[in-house]
Amino acid sequence: MSRAATVYDVAARAGVSIATVSRALRLPDAVRPETRRRVADAARALHYVPSGNARDLARQRTGMLGVWFIEDRAEAVVDDDAAESLQWSLYWDQVIRGIERESWRRGFAALIASTRSARAGELTNEIAGRVDALAILAHDIPTDELAVISERIPVVLVAARHSISGVDSVRVANSQGIKLLVEHLIDVHGYRRPVFIGGVPHSSDAVERFQAFRRSWTEAGYAVPDTPFLSGDFTASTGVVAAEQLLTSGPLPDVVMCANDQTALGVLRRFRRHGVRVPEDVAVTGFDGLELGAGTNPPLTTVRQPMLQIGAIAVKLLVERLAAPERPSVATMLPVDVVIRESCGCPAQPLLIKGMELSARSTTSRSTNR
Amino acid sequence: MSRAATVYDVAARAGVSIATVSRALRLPDAVRPETRRRVADAARALHYVPSGNARDLARQRTGMLGVWFIEDRAEAVVDDDAAESLQWSLYWDQVIRGIERESWRRGFAALIASTRSARAGELTNEIAGRVDALAILAHDIPTDELAVISERIPVVLVAARHSISGVDSVRVANSQGIKLLVEHLIDVHGYRRPVFIGGVPHSSDAVERFQAFRRSWTEAGYAVPDTPFLSGDFTASTGVVAAEQLLTSGPLPDVVMCANDQTALGVLRRFRRHGVRVPEDVAVTGFDGLELGAGTNPPLTTVRQPMLQIGAIAVKLLVERLAAPERPSVATMLPVDVVIRESCGCPAQPLLIKGMELSARSTTSRSTNR
DNA sequence: CTGAAAGCGCTTACAG
DNA sequence: CTGAAAGCGCTTACAG
């Protein structure tokens, strides 16, 4: 690892100018075949690896899309040996995967930077200046800093609480999803004593889901608590804790609605460990539609949001704005589906309640899921 | 989004030189408080966002760790509506997560670039030149290109087949894991007609696991096929296809060992759909130790590899080599555990067979898992 | 504590 | 088709 070769070294060895080296490497058709070959040989011999920084600086673009990912989970302790991964948001994971994938399809690399909280200035100094556009994945965002950054590069907010004028955003129809699910729980199963296990308190996803929970049950004529039974951090450990508390705080509700799948997973596990049968003794539902929920025991009834698509759309908005900086900002709301599996009390044959169609006021459609 | 402000603009507005702007922003203590304030005000007023490229170019470092992720899955068709995510390797996902996390802990951002196959030159041009060090996640690697790149920046190979001299690598004890699992299947369950569902043919993980499968059963005195029943791409669809073929090709084996968990998941699902009971009619095992396997029906007996740790160690090796470029290369082999759940025929209480201890020739230790 | 100046390694009009 | 030169936006010895 001696001093790395540069265009100058390659040029010298090939007996051409640095401009020609640049062209031979970048625009092969712009130079004579003979020249091209000489440059290629020199580059190979010198183990030349072009500097991305220098190139990007000269070109005034980076080809990178940034993902700023704020972990908002608490430092929760999980009692399960294998559950370390459950500390992580499987939901964000999927969204990030959607971003990576779409970035790749559109010729960008993804620069992922995560942090535990938005330390002031970090966003600006660490990534904003090194990417062409930036996706913010967070429930709570550093509004002021973003306002400045969005003046310089396209920014898209995913699942964020606040919106910033001129900044695109992507979110899902939380309320509709919960509403459809509650209707199912009432109409099909006749439940009437629900409980809600919340997520990160300042998360708009968590807030919207709980409010929809309240509204839906209330409108159906049932009294429900005006706060979540417990608010957690969207991890399985929240579910574990919630289940424990549920078991020691009087009669069980007939259905436990969780702010997300991972929380529901924790509830399921802890209930099972205590011999509480789901759905016989109590029904449990989630939100997200993680693959994981198809394999739980019993399989989890949930609301599925299009996670990969959320990421893909975020990238699409970014790239579009890169092409048309002045386009008005767009707030995308993606539809969700209710995935009926067994944890709500339904038989093994899963059903799918399409959110799309309902929102268009058509008949509830139920189609076989597998 | 007018022309973005630069140090020159900030300097002009603050009435100082660009050197002072740089210092005020980067080394606050090196300038007078008054100067610092003037610069900060100017920067804020101008919505100044420093250029990462220019900074990195001047500094000769990027603060970024690259992850080059080669997808090697085939374009398989899955019959399950929700299974799109199963097309993705949940294993790589975890490793990447481990990388992101450790990168962050060590003050680096992670640049993730993925591709479907190693197009020549892409690696060199697209990432190698823009990161301080590079992790290659792939079963099969572009050896020549990497040899060149590793001359310039630290490279670490994860789960790769070939090793390159002078390049660090991380892999797991595939053989030991399979061996321990086979011993369990024979000693505890008395199975004798196993079948192996393979992974990507050129993957060393897939190859090592199959070879260990052969060796272990053979050494125990049982005849086993000398090729996998089927070789796939490590996705659930491979498992689905394998299960179909198994069902139509004569008597069922007594145990189906899969090259990884996602494949096993596909087998489980398809068997279940056809009314084949696991483990009563046939046992099934996986490899990876994904969380997902704890929730399948029945829960999956598998070999668990420390995926987050694999990623973390990859980063550690990279950062260490950054500090000591001449250190001899190290090939890390991480231990695995056998996670006994129910799909092998064991009762609900899960067991853990530690790979570590066995490899040190101590007694097989069995500890409760939850 | 601050400034002038060189340098980081490319790309890209502009000439020829 | 090729070269000389300016420019991309910072950082960092070196003086003062």
Side-chain angles (χ1 to χ4, degrees):
Chain A
M1 267 182 256
S2 50
R3 194 182 68 75
T6 69
V7 268
Y8 293 95
D9 303 310
V10 177
R13 187 178 235 263
V16 299
S17 74
I18 59 165
T20 298
V21 170
S22 179
R23 291 195 195 96
L25 263 23
R26 218 57 63 197
L27 310 157
D29 294 333
V31 300
R32 279 195 327 207
E34 160 63 8
T35 310
R36 195 188 310 157
R37 233 209 55 246
R38 291 232 308 286
V39 171
D41 288 349
R44 196 172 315 113
L46 296 172
H47 292 170
Y48 174 63
V49 176
S51 158
N53 278 324
R55 174 156 20 126
D56 292 343
L57 183 58
R59 273 197 194 155
Q60 295 287 65
R61 62 180 298 281
T62 69
M64 286 193 256
L65 256 28
V67 178
W68 184 245
F69 167 36
I70 303 179
E71 286 178 54
D72 45 14
R73 67 183 172 83
E75 289 295 333
V77 178
V78 175
D79 70 330
D80 188 52
D81 183 53
E84 184 179 20
S85 65
L86 289 182
Q87 293 275 40
W88 292 87
S89 166
L90 267 22
Y91 159 73
W92 284 136
D93 276 5
Q94 288 302 107
V95 173
I96 291 176
R97 199 131 329 282
I99 290 179
E100 282 175 13
R101 185 178 185 157
E102 187 68 16
S103 297
W104 172 72
R105 284 191 44 211
R106 292 175 181 262
F108 288 85
L111 177 61
I112 318 269
S114 67
T115 183
R116 261 191 193 131
S117 63
R119 220 188 323 143
E122 205 173 345
L123 228 189
T124 305
N125 291 309
E126 298 311 319
I127 8 164
R130 50 181 20 136
V131 295
D132 291 342
L134 186 61
I136 306 287
L137 272 47
H139 295 300
D140 213 6
I141 55 174
T143 317
D144 294 345
E145 212 174 342
L146 275 184
V148 170
I149 292 171
S150 67
E151 210 122 327
R152 172 135 176 191
I153 56 176
V155 169
V156 63
L157 262 25
V158 176
R161 181 166 201 171
H162 311 286
S163 53
I164 298 182
S165 75
V167 173
D168 299 332
S169 64
V170 186
R171 59 191 69 199
V172 299
N174 284 309
S175 302
Q176 193 201 29
I178 291 290
K179 179 163 181 286
L180 291 175
L181 180 52
V182 169
E183 284 170 7
H184 172 83
L185 296 173
I186 293 175
D187 298 348
V188 176
H189 300 289
Y191 298 134
R192 48 189 60 205
R193 286 177 301 107
V195 132
F196 190 85
I197 311 299
V200 180
H202 54 264
S203 145
S204 74
D205 278 339
V207 170
E208 287 176 22
R209 289 170 202 171
F210 175 68
Q211 285 173 347
F213 163 91
R214 278 223 74 197
R215 200 178 323 116
S216 303
W217 286 96
T218 305
E219 283 174 3
Y222 299 102
V224 293
D226 53 359
T227 59
F229 177 77
L230 181 76
S231 279
D233 59 2
F234 283 131
T235 70
S237 29
T238 294
V240 167
V241 173
E244 288 290 359
Q245 293 190 14
L246 243 15
L247 289 169
T248 58
S249 66
L252 241 33
D254 47 24
V255 54
V256 178
M257 296 187 74
C258 301
N260 75 335
D261 284 357
Q262 283 170 279
T263 300
L265 183 71
V267 170
L268 244 32
R269 287 194 177 173
R270 190 45 62 107
F271 272 171
R272 198 180 185 196
R273 173 158 160 180
H274 283 284
V276 173
R277 295 167 309 160
V278 176
E280 294 83 351
D281 299 331
V282 53
V284 174
T285 66
F287 200 110
D288 278 347
L290 300 175
E291 267 303 319
L292 174 159
T296 52
N297 189 344
L300 188 66
T301 288
T302 189
V303 177
R304 180 162 63 214
Q305 42 177 336
M307 297 171 280
L308 292 172
Q309 204 191 337
I310 290 173
I313 289 189
V315 170
K316 174 169 162 281
L317 291 173
L318 250 21
V319 174
E320 283 178 2
R321 181 169 291 274
L322 232 21
E326 304 306 338
R327 135 163 103 48
S329 71
V330 354
T332 307
M333 161 113 31
L334 262 24
V336 297
D337 298 324
V338 173
V339 179
I340 301 294
R341 289 190 284 233
E342 300 167 41
S343 70
C344 62
C346 276
Q349 179 61 45
L351 299 176
L352 185 67
I353 303 178
K354 286 268 182 206
M356 262 302 216
E357 300 183 354
L358 263 199
S359 76
R361 298 234 173 292
S362 77
T363 320
T364 302
S365 101
R366 296 187 163 187
S367 60
T368 305
N369 186 22
R370 34 175 127 179
Chain B
M1 270 183 256
S2 50
R3 193 183 69 75
T6 70
V7 267
Y8 294 94
D9 303 310
V10 177
R13 187 180 237 260
V16 298
S17 73
I18 60 165
T20 298
V21 171
S22 180
R23 292 196 194 95
L25 263 23
R26 218 58 62 197
L27 311 156
D29 294 334
V31 301
R32 279 196 328 210
E34 161 62 9
T35 310
R36 193 187 314 156
R37 232 209 55 247
R38 290 230 310 284
V39 172
D41 288 349
R44 195 173 315 113
L46 296 172
H47 292 171
Y48 174 64
V49 176
S51 158
N53 279 324
R55 175 158 19 129
D56 291 344
L57 183 59
R59 274 197 194 157
Q60 295 287 67
R61 61 179 298 282
T62 68
M64 287 194 255
L65 256 28
V67 178
W68 184 245
F69 167 36
I70 303 179
E71 284 178 55
D72 44 13
R73 66 184 173 83
E75 289 295 335
V77 178
V78 175
D79 70 328
D80 187 51
D81 183 51
E84 184 181 19
S85 65
L86 289 183
Q87 293 277 39
W88 292 88
S89 167
L90 267 23
Y91 159 73
W92 284 138
D93 276 5
Q94 288 303 108
V95 174
I96 292 176
R97 198 129 333 280
I99 291 179
E100 281 175 12
R101 184 179 185 159
E102 188 67 16
S103 296
W104 171 73
R105 284 191 43 210
R106 292 174 181 264
F108 289 85
L111 177 61
I112 318 267
S114 67
T115 183
R116 257 186 199 140
S117 63
R119 220 188 322 144
E122 204 173 347
L123 228 190
T124 305
N125 291 311
E126 298 311 318
I127 8 162
R130 51 182 17 140
V131 296
D132 291 342
L134 185 61
I136 307 289
L137 272 46
H139 295 300
D140 214 5
I141 55 174
T143 316
D144 294 345
E145 211 175 342
L146 275 184
V148 170
I149 293 172
S150 67
E151 209 122 328
R152 173 136 175 188
I153 57 174
V155 169
V156 63
L157 262 26
V158 177
R161 181 168 202 171
H162 311 286
S163 52
I164 298 181
S165 75
V167 172
D168 300 332
S169 64
V170 186
R171 58 191 68 198
V172 299
N174 284 308
S175 304
Q176 193 199 31
I178 291 291
K179 180 164 182 286
L180 292 175
L181 179 51
V182 169
E183 283 170 6
H184 172 83
L185 297 174
I186 292 175
D187 298 349
V188 176
H189 300 290
Y191 297 134
R192 48 188 60 202
R193 288 178 298 106
V195 131
F196 191 84
I197 311 299
V200 180
H202 54 263
S203 146
S204 73
D205 278 340
V207 171
E208 287 176 19
R209 288 170 203 170
F210 175 67
Q211 285 173 348
F213 164 89
R214 277 222 75 197
R215 201 178 323 119
S216 303
W217 286 95
T218 304
E219 283 174 4
Y222 300 101
V224 293
D226 54 359
T227 57
F229 177 78
L230 182 76
S231 279
D233 61 1
F234 283 131
T235 68
S237 29
T238 294
V240 168
V241 173
E244 289 290 0
Q245 293 190 14
L246 243 14
L247 289 168
T248 58
S249 65
L252 241 32
D254 47 24
V255 54
V256 178
M257 296 186 72
C258 301
N260 75 335
D261 284 357
Q262 283 170 279
T263 299
L265 183 71
V267 170
L268 246 29
R269 286 194 179 173
R270 189 45 61 106
F271 272 170
R272 197 179 187 195
R273 173 159 159 180
H274 283 284
V276 174
R277 294 166 311 158
V278 175
E280 293 83 350
D281 299 331
V282 53
V284 174
T285 66
F287 200 112
D288 277 349
L290 299 175
E291 268 301 321
L292 174 158
T296 52
N297 190 345
L300 187 66
T301 288
T302 189
V303 177
R304 179 161 65 214
Q305 43 177 334
M307 296 170 281
L308 293 172
Q309 204 191 337
I310 291 172
I313 289 189
V315 170
K316 174 169 162 281
L317 291 174
L318 251 21
V319 175
E320 283 178 1
R321 181 169 290 277
L322 232 22
E326 302 308 338
R327 136 162 103 46
S329 71
V330 352
T332 307
M333 160 109 37
L334 262 23
V336 297
D337 298 324
V338 174
V339 180
I340 302 294
R341 288 190 285 231
E342 300 166 40
S343 70
C344 61
C346 277
Q349 178 63 45
L351 300 175
L352 185 67
I353 303 179
K354 286 270 182 204
M356 262 299 218
E357 301 182 353
L358 264 199
S359 75
R361 297 232 172 298
S362 77
T363 320
T364 303
S365 102
R366 298 188 160 184
S367 60
T368 306
N369 186 21
R370 30 177 130 176

